[in-house]
Amino acid sequence: MIVYSQVLVWVLLVITSSVFGKSVYENVNAQCGYSSCPEVKEGFINVHLIPHTHDDVGWLKTVDQYYFGSRSKIQLAGVQYILDSVVQELKHDPNKRFIYVETAYFWKWWQRQPDHERHIVKRLVANGQLEFIGGGWSMHDEATTHYQSIVDQFTWGFRKLNDTFGQCGVPRVGWQIDPFGHSRETASIMARLGFDGLLLGRIDYMDKATRMIHKQMEMIWEASPNLGREADLFTGALFNTYSAPPGFCFDILCSDEPIIDDKHSPDYNADKRAEMFVKSLEALIKSYQSNNLAVTMGEDFQYQAAHINFKNMDSLIRAVNDRQVTHNSNVH
Amino acid sequence: VTHNSNVHLLYSTPSCYLKALNNEGLQWPTKQDDFFPYASDPHAFWTGYFTSRPTIKYYERLGNNFLQICKQLYALGNLGPDDRGNLN
């Protein structure tokens, strides 16, 4: 009887989840995922600032050298500091968000965290502030990889995330910002992994120029002639590979001017900097169809001192949003 | 000070960006082929890496072969989690 009742409960769960689809599930998880997204402002060009760090799983240094931050003369990069300092920033302000991509590094870091730190991170994942994007063991190459190994590295990364954070740890978007070209097979695999979309950094410069002119930077990639719609994947090419707009790299590795919003300071620049930023959006507005724009705020191994990035992004958001017309009914 | 700006900045993520696009209900062009070859500039085609380090490329494929065999033997052997060892 016990077995039968368990089966019955299971059948009911399957039936209800198929009837109500995602909504049942998202009620259970309340916060993370699409339901945790910030509201966009109706009637405005909404600029989605996406703070991120691109952490190669081995390149000029080994994986461990990158993780621990050794051999700084080769490249000033330490992933453990990135994750440490990002968590410090997110935990004090629910508006701040960060995405993390390479599970090989995340897992190495997670295993070294004490319980109280793990609780904080679980909360940040559960409320959608820290989101896993991509989520494979690494951001795989698409030209020289075998599909079997691509699937293996994805399932290995997803397994760790799922075991640690449950459904809130499951990535929804593919993030191939650095591979040198993109294969249709990768898109097909990603569609069948359950991704809702894929964002790319590097496409051929002439292809990109043409797509910008025709507002075709974003598309539905029909990734498999055999599978049909099952392998359709929304795919977008990012505007500036994966970097911040020129002049707005606030990272400790950069030397762009900070936003100085003290009006009594002789170095006050907030108004001018806000104007520059808005001006840099003109090319994006021309190249994309939508009233929503994605602006990546990150680069290779950035956010080792995340406070510098977030402090200046806070000021930038304030300086730009303050320019909205205050007597307009659009403003809430 | 107001400047008639219609720009609104917000902290977001790729999935929240996709959600906002989806809510707009736009029509998108389609694509059937791939994004190869990649050229970053004139006369700069990134196709050399298709063949660079041939030995390590071979080792990886061979390693994948061994991995699949190990996984199958592990499944056939009906081994439990205790025999999985520390794969982390």
Side-chain angles (χ1 to χ4, degrees):
Chain A
M1 281 308 284
I2 294 165
V3 174
Y4 278 113
S5 63
Q6 281 177 342
V7 169
L8 188 67
V9 168
W10 185 79
V11 168
L12 279 171
L13 278 173
V14 169
I15 291 169
T16 49
S17 65
S18 64
V19 170
F20 297 108
K22 247 177 192 163
S23 61
V24 166
Y25 196 64
E26 292 197 342
N27 283 342
V28 173
N29 286 291
Q31 298 297 324
C32 72
Y34 294 120
S35 58
S36 77
C37 285
E39 283 205 23
V40 295
K41 205 163 182 176
E42 205 61 43
F44 282 76
I45 303 281
N46 286 278
V47 180
H48 297 249
L49 300 179
I50 301 174
H52 77 99
T53 177
H54 176 59
D55 298 348
D56 298 275
V57 185
W59 178 36
L60 304 175
K61 304 199 290 188
T62 67
V63 176
D64 275 26
Q65 287 163 3
Y66 274 125
Y67 179 77
F68 290 105
S70 54
R71 306 280 189 105
S72 295
K73 279 185 182 168
I74 299 174
Q75 191 179 6
L76 189 54
V79 173
Q80 59 175 343
Y81 309 130
I82 296 173
L83 288 162
D84 286 346
S85 73
V86 163
V87 168
Q88 291 306 311
E89 288 306 299
L90 296 184
K91 75 177 182 187
H92 295 302
D93 178 2
N95 290 317
K96 291 191 170 75
R97 282 167 187 261
F98 198 76
I99 58 167
Y100 203 73
V101 177
E102 297 85 1
T103 305
Y105 284 128
F106 181 80
W107 189 244
K108 207 176 177 67
W109 180 80
W110 178 257
Q111 286 179 296
R112 285 166 178 74
Q113 299 313 302
D115 269 354
H116 67 270
E117 191 75 7
R118 289 184 173 190
H119 283 299
I120 293 167
V121 174
K122 282 194 173 176
R123 177 170 60 78
L124 295 174
V125 173
N127 72 12
Q129 278 185 266
L130 179 63
E131 187 177 335
F132 297 100
I133 295 289
W137 199 242
S138 72
M139 186 186 303
H140 70 274
D141 171 54
E142 301 188 31
T144 71
T145 40
H146 193 277
Y147 75 92
Q148 224 164 32
S149 304
I150 296 174
V151 172
D152 273 354
Q153 71 90 24
F154 265 124
T155 52
W156 188 240
F158 286 4
R159 170 54 59 209
K160 299 298 178 200
L161 296 175
N162 203 340
D163 285 353
T164 312
F165 302 106
Q167 195 63 24
C168 286
V170 176
R172 292 176 169 73
V173 182
W175 186 252
Q176 296 290 99
I177 57 171
D178 199 31
F180 291 76
H182 303 280
S183 72
R184 197 184 186 191
E185 177 62 18
T186 285
S188 172
I189 289 169
M190 285 183 165
R192 282 173 292 165
L193 286 173
F195 283 130
D196 294 325
L198 164 64
L199 294 176
L200 309 174
R202 299 181 185 278
I203 63 171
D204 178 88
Y205 73 103
M206 289 177 78
D207 186 17
K208 187 177 176 183
T210 311
R211 287 182 179 281
M212 281 167 62
I213 291 166
H214 298 290
K215 289 183 187 274
Q216 295 195 331
M217 291 288 272
E218 294 169 323
M219 69 212 82
I220 304 292
W221 197 349
E222 297 173 353
S224 169
N226 314 93
L227 295 165
R229 294 202 63 179
E230 198 190 323
D232 285 1
L233 187 63
F234 175 88
T235 301
L238 295 164
F239 186 75
N240 192 25
T241 318
Y242 52 89
S243 309
F248 293 89
C249 175
F250 300 121
D251 196 78
I252 195 167
L253 298 175
C254 289
S255 48
D256 291 343
E257 281 290 292
I259 309 292
I260 302 166
D261 51 12
D262 175 3
K263 285 193 170 156
H264 301 293
S265 167
D267 296 330
Y268 173 82
N269 66 9
D271 206 39
K272 192 181 76 195
R273 298 280 275 141
E275 198 183 316
M276 273 172 64
F277 192 84
V278 170
K279 207 162 176 56
S280 77
L281 298 170
E282 283 173 9
L284 272 87
I285 293 167
K286 275 190 204 136
S287 309
Y288 291 82
Q289 283 197 57
S290 154
N291 289 321
N292 288 276
L293 301 173
V295 172
T296 46
M297 297 297 283
E299 245 283 349
D300 294 8
F301 296 96
Q302 290 193 348
Y303 290 80
Q304 286 180 97
H307 183 65
I308 305 177
N309 305 66
F310 280 108
K311 182 119 190 169
N312 280 284
M313 278 189 286
D314 278 346
S315 303
L316 179 69
I317 290 170
R318 222 178 297 120
V320 171
N321 291 356
D322 277 353
R323 300 162 73 83
Q324 295 165 4
V325 184
T326 45
H327 56 75
N328 192 309
S329 61
N330 278 332
V331 178
H332 47 241
Chain B
V1 188
T2 57
H3 302 263
N4 297 315
S5 166
N6 66 338
V7 171
H8 182 68
L9 300 195
L10 65 154
Y11 284 120
S12 190
T13 67
S15 52
C16 292
Y17 170 64
L18 253 58
K19 182 193 178 189
L21 289 188
N22 193 46
N23 287 346
E24 281 191 73
L26 301 165
Q27 288 284 314
W28 307 104
T30 57
K31 178 182 177 67
Q32 283 86 26
D33 58 343
D34 57 33
F35 284 101
F36 287 115
Y38 168 64
S40 49
D41 295 283
H43 314 294
F45 281 85
W46 292 77
T47 50
Y49 81 97
F50 297 172
T51 56
S52 63
R53 301 189 177 189
T55 311
I56 206 166
K57 283 183 162 69
Y58 168 71
Y59 282 154
E60 184 280 330
R61 282 295 193 279
L62 193 63
N64 175 49
N65 215 318
F66 285 139
L67 175 62
Q68 305 309 326
I69 292 165
C70 289
K71 286 198 292 189
Q72 288 171 22
L73 290 176
Y74 179 82
L76 285 169
N78 249 334
L79 300 172
D82 291 345
D83 298 299
R84 198 176 290 156
N86 183 11
L87 297 175
N88 293 329

